Amino acid sequence: MRDTLTAPPARTQVPIRHLAGPDALDRALIEQLLERAASFEHGSEMKAAPLLGRLLATVFYEPSTRTRFSFEAAMHRLGGQVLSAENASRASSAAKGESLEDAIQVIGGYADAIVLRHPDVGAAERAARVAPVAVINAGDGRGHHPTQALLDLYTIKKELGRLDHLRVGLAGDLRNGRTVRSLALLLSRFPGNELVLISPRALRMGEDVIGALNQAQQGMQETSDLGGAIADLDVLYQTRIQAERFESPEEYERLRSVYVVSAELMRRLPEHAILMHPLPRREEIDPLVDADPRAAYFRQARNGLWVRMAVLDWAVAH
């Protein structure tokens, strides 16, 4: 009897497009993704359903609201479907000791792309090395958050009309804040920008990012004085002091309210400038500031949908 089983036809090998960190984003790709995001926002691509029949796995080992929901909403709006593990550290085989690498290889057999959030720095790069499909970093501990940085650039471009020759203040927990680490590197791709790194010494930006900024000849200064730095900024990017990243509650309590943006402080911010925050916030921005038209953080969060649509379209549709 002849064996009637035959091998499936070979697929054409297409390079996998991972977005594991900011190093994957040069200026040309950033501009391409932001232009595509704008086309989605303006509705010119909404009926195309470019990801019809495709499946996205969102695998989150840490909590998320904006990132997970916006990625899942983006996939649905592009015509695709979603498999979601919103508590993968406890509700997946990770609780049984399965390695990240094994989990990614298995999940990659079910989905066309994986969006990964993980508490370990470098987890997305580890996943990308073994994944049979695209891996998109949705935050790796204190490491990076490249799609947040992209939506931050998109917000700045929409609000101020440009991404160059800006004075941008990054304030708060720069040591642990993956959003500001990625944003600082992406801003260095554009000419004439100056970064003002505002933090207490215990929370200053990591030497890896400082070194990369120096290598890129990025204009930069460090200060602990928020009030003194705010008067000539185009963008103030405020961040949360992250309790979950501190080794001791005492250290967190000492630093938690080091910078608070109040209505009084906003009087020092130029009228043309904007206030941003990656959210969630605690006490670092007074809710009274929400009514100020320069407070862009909720508009910023909404922009995540269009940018993540562009990222998924780039990573999966080719």
Side-chain angles (χ1 to χ4, degrees):
M1 180 181 293
R2 294 181 59 189
D3 188 351
T4 59
L5 294 176
T6 57
R11 293 183 179 180
T12 302
Q13 292 297 315
V14 178
I16 298 173
R17 292 176 172 176
H18 299 298
L19 182 48
D23 287 347
L25 295 164
D26 60 18
R27 180 174 174 177
L29 180 54
I30 292 169
E31 291 176 339
Q32 174 190 331
L33 291 171
L34 299 190
E35 182 177 352
R36 186 66 163 158
S39 74
F40 284 129
E41 181 177 9
H42 298 148
S44 58
E45 303 289 344
M46 290 300 292
K47 297 180 181 179
L51 299 188
L52 184 66
R54 302 296 185 93
L55 190 60
L56 175 70
T58 55
V59 185
F60 281 68
Y61 291 81
E62 287 187 323
S64 173
T65 300
R66 283 150 295 278
T67 302
R68 184 172 67 85
F69 280 6
S70 61
F71 263 118
E72 293 181 1
M75 190 63 177
H76 286 298
R77 285 176 179 262
L78 290 167
Q81 295 179 294
V82 177
L83 293 170
S84 184
E86 63 178 294
N87 187 12
S89 60
R90 289 188 290 178
S92 76
S93 289
K96 303 176 184 177
E98 183 176 43
S99 71
L100 174 65
E101 286 80 359
D102 284 2
I104 290 298
Q105 291 186 77
V106 170
I107 295 166
Y110 307 144
D112 297 292
I114 299 169
V115 172
L116 175 68
R117 171 167 290 185
H118 198 279
D120 294 345
V121 174
E125 294 177 351
R126 288 167 48 202
R129 283 195 289 267
V130 301
V133 296
V135 171
I136 300 168
N137 184 358
D140 60 332
R142 296 170 173 156
H144 285 287
H145 198 344
T147 65
Q148 176 69 46
L150 282 171
L151 76 88
D152 294 338
L153 292 186
Y154 187 75
T155 301
I156 293 170
K157 180 82 176 288
K158 279 182 63 178
E159 299 278 336
L160 299 180
R162 68 187 193 280
L163 289 173
D164 54 33
H165 298 89
L166 296 166
R167 186 170 171 85
V168 180
L170 306 176
D173 190 350
L174 308 188
R175 180 185 72 181
N176 300 306
R178 57 195 173 202
T179 64
V180 283
R181 287 168 50 81
S182 292
L183 179 57
L185 294 176
L186 294 198
L187 283 167
S188 73
R189 312 284 199 262
F190 296 85
N193 289 329
E194 184 173 3
L195 303 183
V196 184
L197 307 181
I198 307 163
S199 71
R201 177 165 292 276
L203 298 179
R204 70 186 294 267
M205 185 70 80
E207 290 298 333
D208 58 333
V209 173
I210 295 290
L213 294 175
N214 284 331
Q215 187 173 7
Q217 298 183 321
Q218 171 66 59
M220 174 179 50
Q221 69 179 81
E222 294 185 79
T223 181
S224 60
D225 182 8
L226 174 60
I230 197 172
D232 58 354
L233 296 179
D234 298 298
V235 179
L236 173 58
Y237 193 102
Q238 176 76 322
T239 66
R240 174 175 61 94
I241 308 299
Q242 302 182 48
E244 66 271 24
R245 308 293 182 203
F246 282 79
E247 295 180 0
S248 73
E250 292 77 18
E251 184 185 14
Y252 167 68
E253 289 298 328
R254 181 172 63 85
L255 294 167
R256 62 180 295 179
S257 300
V258 63
Y259 301 126
V260 176
V261 177
S262 63
E264 180 180 356
L265 187 68
M266 286 292 287
R267 295 190 186 101
R268 305 187 198 179
L269 187 69
E271 285 301 312
H272 75 275
I274 56 172
L275 171 64
M276 299 175 65
H277 191 300
L279 303 176
R281 67 170 167 186
R282 296 191 67 177
E283 64 269 20
E284 66 274 6
I285 297 179
D286 189 321
L288 293 175
V289 173
D290 295 356
D292 191 309
R294 294 169 295 173
Y297 31 87
F298 292 118
R299 300 192 294 274
Q300 176 186 351
R302 287 194 293 273
N303 289 334
L305 174 63
W306 316 116
V307 169
R308 288 171 175 134
M309 287 176 71
V311 169
L312 290 174
D313 182 58
W314 166 79
V316 182
H318 74 293

